[in-house]
Amino acid sequence: MSIKNRIPKEFYKLFNSKYVEYFQRILIALYEQSASSYSLLGLTEEECQDTIEMEISTFTMDFSQSDLEEEGELLTRANMESVMLRKLEEWGWLRKDYDESLNCYVVSFPDYSQMFTELFGRLYNEESSMERESLLTIYSHLFTYHSSKEKDNEILKSALQSSKALLQMLSNMQEGIRGFFEEMTKQKTFLGIQEVLVQEMNNTDSQKYAILTTTDSFYRYKEEVKELIDQNLMGNEARKQELLQRRKGLEADSFAWRRNERGVQSCDEAMEILFQINREFDGIERRYNRLIDQKRVFAKRAAARIRYILAEGDVEEDHTKALIRLLNMSDRKDEILKKLGERMGMTERFAVLKERSFAKPRDAKKKAFEPQELVKTGQSEEQLDEFVVKPLYTKAQIREFRRQNEVDGAFQVTKDTVHTVEDLEKLLYVWQEATEIAQETEEIVIGEEFTTEEGLQYSGFTIRRK
């Protein structure tokens, strides 16, 4: 009978319970405590209740509420341990047996319950899964196999599973980066950007990425892992040839001959597993390099989004800008502003504030012009350059980018125009100059949409002189 068929029907009632999180945490505590149990069969019921009581003390459950019940049974602080233990036994998560040496019942975990409980442990303790998804784990398995005299293929199978887990983790990181940027683009305030960045720093994938690039440095162990794979392959080939050479002097179908045959088959199996590890590791290397490039692209996009919000702000969140927009759309703008001024007690007519306007106190008097004597300082131009905001690209670089994409005097944007984020930014400068500065002398024709392999999207267009 398979493990799945041994699961009782009431087993999944735990997931329908209102206190599923508490049951899961109790199972984890009992599972960890069972390792140090005196009885070989498991924990006694008294030990289980003591463990449950200690775990309940960490809960934030309010026992004064009247709705604390489980399947019609009222839960109180006095019967909490016994009720939860009995429910876990009735649902099949725990199994109760009588121990004659202890003269009491002991509680143990069935094999199917152990699988779920270990999964709960990983959900509540994310650090437990970092070891199996680590390059150091692959390296340690290969080194153990290389140093062992027995050459157990189960060690190589563990290395293969760790390689697949690491490759899957890198794939999940890529999706996590994409989701992080999508969440970033939805934010319309700087506070929202800050919250997303804090969540990303505390994210499990980000912590694993930091481990992979620091203590578990990929480039530090990459060559050593490949060298270990080659050494194990050559060692298995040499061992296989040695076994084949010994077989010539053995009698067919004898005990020694069959033992020799099992050794040859073990070598073949080990070489097949090593080839699979090598293929997985090549995929890990490609995925890792791709992840580094993608991190750089999304980091630039995030920085651009932050600069945009800091420079432009959010019209929807700014009520003053929303009021000005509504006033500009109204035909009674002057009347509304006049009444608003009367209600607010304005002493003089309102003035339009522009970008270069300076805020000043209401009762401040106009200062007379008093020229000051110029005082020379000993600062050099190099020191002053530190306080000058420099543009991202010079006009010469923009002109060179435009010249490279001109055909018969017309600037044309095709699918080969943009390859990097820098090309996209230069294209935006060209578009801004064409639409705002030289609008009367140039004609713009919009074309189709393009998407690069890096995920950059832009519209094709042509700029011709009239």
Side-chain angles (χ1 to χ4, degrees):
M1 179 183 289
S2 64
I3 297 179
K4 183 178 182 301
N5 295 331
R6 291 200 296 268
I7 300 177
K9 296 181 180 179
E10 296 81 8
F11 184 78
Y12 299 102
K13 284 186 177 181
L14 181 140
F15 298 99
N16 294 329
S17 173
K18 294 186 295 184
Y19 313 108
V20 57
E21 179 182 349
Y22 300 131
F23 278 114
Q24 290 173 349
R25 291 172 58 181
I26 287 174
L27 284 170
I28 295 171
L30 292 174
Y31 189 71
E32 294 175 350
Q33 187 66 22
S34 64
S36 58
S37 173
Y38 174 77
S39 173
L40 297 179
L41 293 178
L43 297 172
T44 64
E45 288 189 319
E46 185 179 356
E47 290 174 338
C48 288
Q49 292 185 7
D50 293 340
T51 304
I52 294 175
E53 184 179 4
M54 293 179 60
E55 189 65 22
I56 289 177
S57 63
T58 63
F59 293 169
T60 58
M61 186 181 298
D62 185 6
F63 291 93
S64 62
Q65 298 179 5
S66 59
D67 60 344
L68 292 177
E69 60 179 3
E70 182 60 39
E71 293 186 346
E73 188 171 1
L74 183 64
L75 297 177
T76 63
R77 187 63 184 85
N79 68 353
M80 193 75 169
E81 300 86 357
S82 59
V83 171
M84 286 196 161
L85 179 60
R86 187 174 68 255
K87 290 299 179 183
L88 291 174
E89 292 173 352
E90 293 175 354
W91 294 339
W93 285 86
L94 299 176
R95 181 171 52 204
K96 183 170 66 173
D97 297 300
Y98 185 76
D99 190 348
E100 296 179 355
S101 61
L102 297 177
N103 194 22
C104 64
Y105 285 97
V106 293
V107 178
S108 60
F109 284 81
D111 48 3
Y112 54 83
S113 179
Q114 294 175 14
M115 297 179 182
F116 281 89
T117 306
E118 290 176 356
L119 176 60
F120 296 156
R122 291 185 60 188
L123 291 175
Y124 287 94
N125 185 15
E126 296 174 342
E127 294 180 357
S128 61
S129 64
M130 291 184 180
E131 182 179 356
R132 67 184 65 186
E133 298 168 351
S134 168
L135 190 65
L136 285 176
T137 306
I138 304 173
Y139 175 81
S140 62
H141 286 316
L142 293 174
F143 185 80
T144 302
Y145 180 82
H146 177 70
S147 304
S148 175
K149 296 181 179 180
E150 297 297 331
K151 303 301 179 184
D152 189 359
N153 290 344
E154 295 298 324
I155 301 176
L156 293 180
K157 292 179 181 179
S158 299
L160 180 59
Q161 294 299 325
S162 299
S163 302
K164 293 181 178 179
L166 180 57
L167 183 61
Q168 184 63 46
M169 185 190 75
L170 294 174
S171 178
N172 295 339
M173 283 184 182
Q174 283 188 333
E175 297 301 326
I177 293 174
R178 193 181 309 278
F180 160 69
F181 176 70
E182 291 178 356
E183 189 68 22
M184 178 80 73
T185 55
K186 294 178 182 178
Q187 304 302 319
K188 299 181 179 180
T189 62
F190 183 74
L191 182 60
I193 293 288
Q194 187 179 14
E195 292 177 354
V196 174
L197 290 174
V198 172
Q199 293 176 0
E200 175 65 16
M201 286 188 293
N202 297 328
N203 188 18
T204 307
D205 286 342
S206 297
Q207 296 174 3
K208 292 180 180 179
Y209 178 81
I211 293 175
L212 188 64
T213 53
T214 53
T215 57
D216 188 23
S217 177
F218 180 83
Y219 292 107
R220 185 195 305 174
Y221 293 100
K222 180 183 69 172
E223 298 300 330
E224 296 186 16
V225 169
K226 289 186 175 181
E227 184 178 350
L228 276 174
I229 293 175
D230 294 337
Q231 290 178 0
N232 287 323
L233 284 171
M234 291 187 295
N236 272 285
E237 182 63 26
R239 192 161 50 255
K240 178 182 177 181
Q241 295 299 327
E242 182 180 354
L243 290 172
L244 292 175
Q245 188 68 24
R246 291 179 183 177
R247 183 187 297 183
K248 296 179 181 180
L250 299 176
E251 182 181 355
D253 293 334
S254 62
F255 176 79
W257 188 90
R258 288 194 296 270
R259 184 177 181 180
N260 183 278
E261 177 66 19
R262 287 195 298 270
V264 173
Q265 293 177 357
S266 177
C267 291
D268 292 336
E269 182 185 11
M271 293 178 68
E272 178 63 27
I273 298 174
L274 286 169
F275 282 128
Q276 294 180 14
I277 295 174
N278 192 32
R279 287 194 296 267
E280 292 290 333
F281 197 77
D282 291 339
I284 290 172
E285 185 175 6
R286 291 192 300 269
R287 183 79 67 173
Y288 181 82
N289 294 332
R290 175 64 176 166
L291 184 65
I292 296 295
D293 296 337
Q294 197 171 11
K295 268 278 188 179
R296 189 181 300 112
V297 171
F298 282 123
K300 291 184 178 180
R301 292 185 181 181
R305 182 64 179 175
I306 294 174
R307 288 198 300 266
Y308 172 79
I309 290 180
L310 292 177
E312 302 295 333
D314 181 23
V315 176
E316 296 181 1
E317 297 293 334
D318 195 335
H319 299 291
T320 304
K321 293 183 178 180
L323 175 61
I324 294 174
R325 188 174 67 254
L326 292 174
L327 288 175
N328 292 332
M329 297 170 58
S330 176
D331 298 334
R332 305 172 58 186
K333 182 175 75 172
D334 295 335
E335 180 182 353
I336 294 174
L337 289 175
K338 182 178 179 181
K339 291 183 178 181
L340 179 62
E342 294 175 355
R343 294 285 183 90
M344 296 178 65
M346 293 183 179
T347 56
E348 59 182 358
R349 181 175 173 79
F350 60 87
V352 178
L353 295 179
K354 299 181 180 179
E355 294 180 355
R356 296 187 178 183
S357 301
F358 290 94
K360 59 182 179 180
R362 179 179 298 177
D363 299 331
K365 297 182 181 179
K366 188 175 182 180
K367 296 182 179 180
F369 176 71
E370 298 178 357
Q372 300 291 331
E373 182 179 359
L374 180 62
V375 179
K376 296 183 179 181
T377 60
Q379 292 181 338
S380 63
E381 293 182 0
E382 295 181 355
Q383 294 174 335
L384 294 176
D385 289 343
E386 298 178 358
F387 303 95
V388 179
V389 180
K390 298 181 180 180
L392 294 177
Y393 305 101
T394 62
K395 292 184 178 180
Q397 291 175 330
I398 301 300
R399 286 196 299 267
E400 178 63 21
F401 174 76
R402 182 164 181 170
R403 185 190 62 78
Q404 293 175 356
N405 295 278
E406 284 187 354
V407 179
D408 297 333
F411 178 77
Q412 295 183 358
V413 179
T414 62
K415 62 180 181 179
D416 298 326
T417 302
V418 175
H419 297 284
T420 62
V421 178
E422 289 76 9
D423 294 339
L424 183 60
E425 292 176 346
K426 293 177 183 179
L427 183 62
L428 292 177
Y429 279 112
V430 174
W431 170 265
Q432 182 179 4
E433 181 180 0
T435 54
E436 296 181 359
I437 302 176
Q439 187 176 5
E440 299 180 356
T441 59
E442 294 181 336
E443 178 184 2
I444 302 176
V445 179
I446 305 297
E448 59 179 321
E449 296 283 339
F450 299 108
T451 303
T452 64
E453 295 180 355
E454 292 77 12
L456 304 176
Q457 296 181 354
Y458 61 95
S459 300
F461 59 89
T462 304
I463 302 177
R464 296 187 181 91
R465 295 188 179 275
K466 295 182 179 179

